[in-house]
Amino acid sequence: MAEPLDVTGPCPPAGHGIAAVARAAGWPAPAARYARTVRHLRPQQVTARVRLRGQRAFTRRFPGTTDRLLRLAAPEIGCWPSAFVPFDGRCAASWPDVAELLDGTLTLLGHPRRLRAPGGGPAELDWAQAGAPLLWRYHLHYWDWAWTLTAHGDRDEARAAFARLYTSWRAATMIDSSRGAAALDGGQAVTRRGRGRGRGP
């Protein structure tokens, strides 16, 4: 182990910094890099690191107590904490008109398109949208537009509408399947891209 850093000696030349001091004291290269990183940390970051290391040490030393504490803080199974609000729910995005969506029309990127013909049922929803631009279809299958249902005054009706839309979409777009790839090119492109993210082509 390297000798402790002597901070009582003469100051290093200006511009060399703490990494130069560490190297001069005989610290190994990784320690010098660590010292160079630490010098840029804000007090809050240092405090967070100390707290994290303390929590890890407590967890290793008292696993039973840690498990009980985590169970006390855990939310009800299957539910988000009551105070949790997703980012999409907090941003002031321009979501599609909820009345139009319930009527079967979805406007994305400024272009309205019919998901179903007037009077048509959920089984008749057109999730392929073959005539739409690829970017429009990408947003269709990204589902961020469904946030507009949270603005509906009738929560039960909004839940029912979401269930109908999702059930229809799930039946029409087979994730990781070549069945109907030509008809569902937009959805297939999105789902395959999502499946392969982080794993290379």
Side-chain angles (χ1 to χ4, degrees):
M1 180 178 293
E3 294 295 327
L5 180 61
D6 182 10
V7 297
T8 62
C11 294
H16 285 251
I18 191 171
V21 176
R23 287 194 298 270
W27 287 18
R33 287 195 298 270
Y34 185 78
R36 186 169 59 249
T37 301
V38 168
R39 67 185 291 264
H40 294 288
L41 294 179
R42 296 190 296 272
Q44 302 93 319
Q45 293 175 297
V46 175
T47 302
R49 296 301 302 175
V50 171
R51 183 176 67 250
L52 178 60
R53 288 182 178 275
Q55 290 172 340
R56 287 177 175 175
F58 184 90
T59 299
R60 288 192 295 267
R61 181 68 177 83
F62 305 104
T65 303
T66 300
D67 183 66
R68 287 192 295 272
L69 290 174
L70 291 176
R71 288 179 183 276
L72 289 175
E76 182 182 350
I77 300 298
C79 300
W80 290 106
S82 58
F84 175 75
V85 180
F87 176 78
D88 285 334
R90 288 183 275 122
C91 68
S94 179
W95 303 120
D97 183 79
V98 63
E100 286 188 357
L101 178 61
L102 294 177
D103 187 51
T105 298
L106 181 60
T107 300
L108 298 173
L109 306 175
H111 297 284
R113 297 188 65 87
R114 294 291 302 182
L115 288 181
R116 62 175 170 82
E124 301 174 35
L125 292 175
D126 177 15
W127 294 105
Q129 294 292 321
L134 183 59
L135 183 59
W136 196 98
R137 285 182 284 165
Y138 177 88
H139 281 277
L140 170 66
H141 293 276
Y142 196 72
W143 272 85
D144 55 345
W145 49 266
W147 275 100
T148 191
L149 292 171
T150 62
H152 196 292
D154 189 332
R155 190 172 182 84
D156 290 335
E157 183 180 356
R159 286 177 178 271
F162 179 85
R164 290 194 302 271
L165 290 165
Y166 177 77
T167 302
S168 171
W169 175 84
R170 186 66 183 87
T173 56
M174 303 298 294
I175 298 177
D176 193 23
S177 170
S178 59
R179 183 170 70 87
L184 299 176
D185 176 67
Q188 292 294 326
V190 172
T191 52
R192 285 175 180 169
R193 186 182 298 113
R195 180 199 61 161
R197 184 174 297 156
R199 293 172 49 187

